[in-house]
Amino acid sequence: MTKNNTPLVSILIATYNRSHLLKQAIKSVLEQSYKNWEIIITNDASTDNTEDVVKNLRKKIKKIRYLKLEKNQGIAKNSNFGIKKAKGKYIAILDDDDQWINKNKLKKQVRFLEENPDYVGCGGGAIVVDKQNKEIYRYLKPEIDKEIRKYMLFSNPMANTTTMFRKNIARKIGYYDKNLRYSADRDFWMKIGKEGKLYNFPVYFAKYLMSGKNTSKIGRASCRE
C-alpha cells in the first residue's frame, strides 16, 4: 500500500455464477510478486453460492472488496460498477474463470505505465485451455502501438483478462458501453486508444478457460481474441 493505505492497482473480477472457479483466479493474484493491490469482486446477481465463497475468502484475504448487484445487468455494467468503486490508479482485469500465470505480470505492467505516461493501457498473451486444463492453443497480440491500431479493424487488439489501464482514462471515455451486448471490451479499447498509446508484452500472462459459457449473460468469446 501507499503511505495513505491506498492501493496503486485495483484488480477487477466481475463474476456471474462462477463460484467454483473464483478461488483459483484469486490464488493467481496472491502469487503475484507485486503486492500493492486490492481485489474488487463484483457479483452480477449470481444464483449460485458466490456470496458464501467470497465471504469465506475475505476472512483470510483482507484486501478483497465485495460488491453485489441485486439484478443481473451484464458484464459491461457489472465491470463499470467495480471500476467506479476502485481506489487504484490502475485497473487490472481478471476474468472470473481465468488465471494469471506470470508471477511478474502486475510488476511489469505497473513499471511500464509508471515509466511511460503517454501509454493508457497494456496487456499480454494468453494460453487457451479446456475444462481439463489442457492447452488448446496460445496467442500473442500485436506488441507495438502502431500494429495494435491496425489490428483493431479486424479483432480485439487486447486480451482483456491480461490488461491494465489507467482509471482516469476509463472514466474520461465513459467506461465500457453498457448498451453493447457483445464486444464491449473491443469497443472500450478502441475508445481508450484515442486517448494514448497501447502496448502488449510478448509474454503469456494468463490462462483463458474455453468453457463454452458466458460470465454475465454476455458473449465473452466473441470479444476476447
Side-chain angles (χ1 to χ4, degrees):
M1 295 287 181
T2 55
K3 291 182 179 180
N4 61 355
N5 293 322
T6 300
L8 190 64
V9 178
S10 294
I11 299 164
L12 177 63
I13 303 178
T15 190
Y16 177 73
N17 284 350
R18 287 283 193 276
S19 62
H20 59 297
L21 295 171
L22 278 175
K23 288 183 180 179
Q24 67 180 25
I26 292 171
K27 181 176 182 290
S28 74
V29 175
L30 299 178
E31 292 173 348
Q32 288 289 302
S33 60
Y34 184 85
K35 302 297 183 183
N36 189 9
W37 47 257
E38 65 173 350
I39 295 174
I40 299 178
I41 299 176
T42 55
N43 181 1
D44 196 12
S46 296
T47 56
D48 63 2
N49 65 330
T50 291
E51 187 155 336
D52 291 335
V53 168
V54 175
K55 284 182 178 179
N56 287 330
L57 287 168
R58 291 184 69 202
K59 292 177 182 178
K60 303 175 183 177
I61 308 167
K62 302 304 181 183
K63 294 196 292 183
I64 291 178
R65 295 170 60 199
Y66 177 63
L67 306 171
K68 183 180 180 180
L69 292 169
E70 296 304 318
K71 181 180 179 181
N72 184 270
Q73 299 288 316
I75 187 66
K77 288 184 179 180
N78 195 28
S79 296
N80 290 345
F81 182 45
I83 295 172
K84 291 174 183 178
K85 298 291 186 180
K87 297 178 181 179
K89 177 181 179 180
Y90 302 119
I91 305 295
I93 301 295
L94 176 56
D95 289 332
D96 58 357
D97 54 353
D98 295 339
Q99 304 171 59
W100 289 336
I101 56 174
N102 185 299
K103 290 180 171 56
N104 292 317
K105 173 196 180 290
L106 293 180
K107 182 179 180 180
K108 289 175 181 289
Q109 292 180 305
V110 168
R111 179 183 297 169
F112 181 84
L113 292 175
E114 288 283 280
E115 294 178 353
N116 296 278
D118 52 334
Y119 281 77
V120 292
C122 56
I127 299 173
V128 181
V129 298
D130 61 19
K131 293 179 180 180
Q132 287 71 46
N133 202 37
K134 181 179 179 181
E135 181 176 339
I136 302 174
Y137 62 91
R138 59 180 61 195
Y139 60 87
L140 295 171
K141 294 292 188 176
E143 182 178 356
I144 63 174
D145 183 70
K146 182 179 179 181
E147 294 303 316
I148 289 172
R149 293 177 186 281
K150 289 181 181 178
Y151 196 74
M152 279 182 179
L153 299 175
F154 307 101
S155 184
N156 189 357
M158 313 292 286
N160 209 47
T161 198
T162 72
T163 58
M164 180 182 290
F165 54 85
R166 300 181 188 275
K167 180 185 175 182
N168 66 319
I169 301 299
R171 180 171 59 244
K172 182 178 180 180
I173 67 168
Y175 307 101
Y176 291 98
D177 188 337
K178 62 184 180 181
N179 297 311
L180 289 178
R181 185 166 179 81
Y182 302 106
S183 298
D185 52 350
R186 180 186 178 192
D187 172 78
F188 175 86
W189 286 106
M190 291 182 74
K191 290 189 296 186
I192 207 171
K194 293 180 180 179
E195 305 298 327
K197 295 180 180 179
L198 300 172
Y199 179 74
N200 278 312
F201 287 85
V203 178
Y204 296 105
F205 276 162
K207 278 186 180 179
Y208 158 32
L209 177 63
M210 183 73 79
S211 62
K213 296 181 179 180
N214 300 334
T215 291
S216 226
K217 294 188 177 178
I218 294 287
R220 301 169 68 207
S222 67
C223 56
R224 290 180 59 175
E225 295 178 40

